[in-house]
Amino acid sequence: MFGSMQNVPLLVNGILDYANINHNEREIVSRLVNGTIHRETYGQAHLRARKLAQALQALGCGKGDVIATLAWNTHRHLESWYGIAGIGAIYHTLNPRLFAEQLSYIINHADDKFIILDTTFLPLMEGIADEIKNVKGFIVLADAGEMPDTSLQNVYCYEDLLDAQSGDFNWVDVDENAPCGMCYTSGTTGNPKGVCYTHRSNVLHTLVANSADVFALRSIDNVMPVVPMFHANAWGLVFAAPAAGSKIVNPGPNMDGASIYQLLTEEKVSFTAAVPTVWLMLLQYLEANKGKLPDLERVSIGGSAVPRVMLEKFERDYDVSVNHLWGMTELSPMGTIAQFKSGMEEMSFDQQMDIKVKQGRAPYLVEMKITDDDGKELPRDGKAFGHLVVKGPFIVGEYIKGDGGEILDEQGFFDTGDVATIDEMGFMQITDRAKDVIKSGGEWISSIEIENIAVGHEGVAEAAVIGVVHPKWDERPLLIIIKNDGADVSKEDMLKYLEGKIAKWWMPDDVVFVDEIPHTATGKIQKLILRQQFADYTLPNTKQAAE
Amino acid sequence: MFGSMQNVPLLVNGILDYANINHNEREIVSRLVNGTIHRETYGQAHLRARKLAQALQALGCGKGDVIATLAWNTHRHLESWYGIAGIGAIYHTLNPRLFAEQLSYIINHADDKFIILDTTFLPLMEGIADEIKNVKGFIVLADAGEMPDTSLQNVYCYEDLLDAQSGDFNWVDVDENAPCGMCYTSGTTGNPKGVCYTHRSNVLHTLVANSADVFALRSIDNVMPVVPMFHANAWGLVFAAPAAGSKIVNPGPNMDGASIYQLLTEEKVSFTAAVPTVWLMLLQYLEANKGKLPDLERVSIGGSAVPRVMLEKFERDYDVSVNHLWGMTELSPMGTIAQFKSGMEEMSFDQQMDIKVKQGRAPYLVEMKITDDDGKELPRDGKAFGHLVVKGPFIVGEYIKGDGGEILDEQGFFDTGDVATIDEMGFMQITDRAKDVIKSGGEWISSIEIENIAVGHEGVAEAAVIGVVHPKWDERPLLIIIKNDGADVSKEDMLKYLEGKIAKWWMPDDVVFVDEIPHTATGKIQKLILRQQFADYTLPNTKQAAE
């Protein structure tokens, strides 16, 4: 007897359709890997994404196929996401910072059918070509004149593929709960695990991201997603900006201070988002060059905790509002953002910074609490700390292929692995990572993996890796070793031993030799105590980096 | 093989849960029908809504039951919506401005089981008690001491019902596509038709309403929904404000300039929304009393077109940003809002007003176009005008009980009945109402219904009703009569004849007698030509109202 509302599914391609109809003239500006600045409109991107969809179908791709991207933030990478999703396939972002073995593991685990990549990543892909035999071909984000020589087989030129198509294409109908995108976690323990976003989860995340107390993107905004698209679903900005009709300014591969500053000013960027390391480089550049940021209104910083000094510099010296953000791949990725509540606008600067240095409060559709080891909720008093668990329609329910088994508790909450406090006003602050991951420049380094390799050395009895504060990268790994009796092992020996076994940027900044490593009753290394012991430890070369 | 995101349904009660957890301390301030100001927090409202849910279950209500509300905007009315929806029942807002016959028709058509109402509406309900025999009882929004005598049967006191419950209650599980709310259109032709909102449609509307380019509600906002909750789903504010953690300031029944001004200033309202008539009264009050609006930042105006002079006064004299809004009951209700696009911030004041006087542009999740009579899309050039049709997940798919039959076209678009232009930047402007409805103070008057009654008079050969411009009410009805040969009918006769047959505020402001009324080939009255003929007609008493 009841009427009904229209049955319109929540599909990400509707976002680009919306931008095409309502913000056709707004631009996507991109710095390409060849250094040039490229401009196109949402209208053009919409056409090109449909051409890519046709091209992918012509290559035999369709519903449920996984198509990987290994690329910097450019218009082509953005078009790829929509073109892939538009045939009911799944975009799968590959992180080029991963070690080759992890990359090939992920490509095989996800069953990637094609890989779309920047020219700069061809050597990386050539190096693992023998390990990823199921990949049917490679699409290089370049025009015909830019196509490099490569030993890869079945290589296609992106622009040639598009040129061969009309763009007269209707997105393929899929259920809103169909898989849409994939991103693997860095795998702090064991193999990386994959998160599969649905059309619905991406659309709901977009709506929340654009709400006034989150990113608050408006049509008048010029948005620069410095955060790479291969990093935690690009913090949702690839969907949020076109859904708001904002201009997009893609930095491509160049994230140094000068390059970022150039785009911020020339494109009058009003909103941007990135990890602290990028902003450290920008602030250093600004100070060295007496730069100003007259157009920049808001910057969202996440990936690792915002240093208070960075927060204060942006707010006081450059009149830019900083919003601390916390999220993870498993949350699409947004969990919290530090936006003021009533009364905080009138507080003193120092009080405001006390609030903004916290990771922030949950927006609508994110349910969040802290619990003790028995799953009992702990008080929201800013003092009690416990496991941070979350629930919501854009939070992971299970990993790809069921890896890790059942990951939700009885009430449907996902354990983030973070340990946090929540205060009376709902502001959450991360106090620890349960698994002791090291965060370097916004990327994670697995202490346990390095430890496992290090103990393979004949002279090592036990190894522990902890993060030590670093002025540029936030944290860098310190390798702590107990030698075998009578063994003669030097720092240089250990680093040489690790070389080639872990990614270069995972290499510990220093190695120290100790007589004892503290353990729990069950034999686990007590990282907390180790961190206390090395709290004042100065890594080599940090003085130079800080200047 | 793919993983999945959490299966969390979009339910409106999750909004109040969110406010309770994250904005527990924020207030709902209400002017009650007894004139006093009442204050409670979201935490208290959450408890009281759960108590009401328990009370409704104790009265035998459950999933799928329809429970009507006939009330002004107060905390109790807000609690009622959540309490009703929280047992899987359906809130059904009744408009007290409707004529008694329409009210009883709607109550019976919707099969209302209980009616929750303000004390002030008891006489209205007593007058139709004999016509609504299926209603099982009435809940009066009052405490025991305020309960008036009434001839109604099975009358309950709201506060007594709550006092008897613990509030220890979990919302009943329902599907997100389950019915959640109901609102009937005013019925310009024939009987009113009902729109049934789902939990999903209300939640999606909430997310869009809170996006930065729509209402942009933030936790720091103090929000006054002057638009009544019985008017087009309260423009979504009953859900949007708690989802943002904004303070709510409910005006109750008092919408005169002095009362509104008092709440705006004392409660530091930053955002408010209402029809132009309310703002006309406020502006008159401000001018007469040299009032200021230092806290008010944004006002959304809809229901009927915003007069340019009103727009300019708010913007220039009071530094308040006006956002013209267009919507309808069938759209939950938001269709468009006039928010700037890039470049418009730098335009001259006059150019900006040219844009803001239009009804605005579609937010994400509203698809909108204009078509000719054959359904062919017309250009977005600001000149072509055609049928305004819309599509989206919070737009009606069918009326309650299938009234009106199939209402979507082959592509799934709903014809709004409005005629409009859309310009190159996507700004829509209503040029006409296809069905010639008269909009008086934001409420609709059916010209056809008055005509049908008027021709019942023995002296009348034919009658037409058109809207004529009125300085206070925007439009008022003018009754145009062709007398029967030899009949002796005066203006006074006609008005007396209509009295009691139509709502008082539907009474034509004037009656004119003519020799001819223009018709189309198929015999329909040509309203367009009539309006042209009476374009300069001045209604009695308008000079006084304009001053």
Side-chain angles (χ1 to χ4, degrees), chain A residues 38 83 92 112 129 142 144 158 160 255 275 286 348 383 421 460 499 518:
Chain A
H38 177 272
H92 171 206
D112 292 342
Y158 182 85
D160 281 354
M255 299 185 196
V275 297
L286 287 172
S348 72
K383 287 169 199 152
T421 61
V460 174
E499 225 169 66

Side-chain angles (χ1 to χ4, degrees), chain A residues 301-320:
Chain A
I301 310 183
S304 58
V306 180
R308 192 184 176 108
V309 60
M310 175 179 292
L311 187 59
E312 292 180 347
K313 264 191 194 163
F314 266 119
E315 296 258 351
R316 183 151 46 195
D317 299 352
Y318 298 98
D319 195 23
V320 171

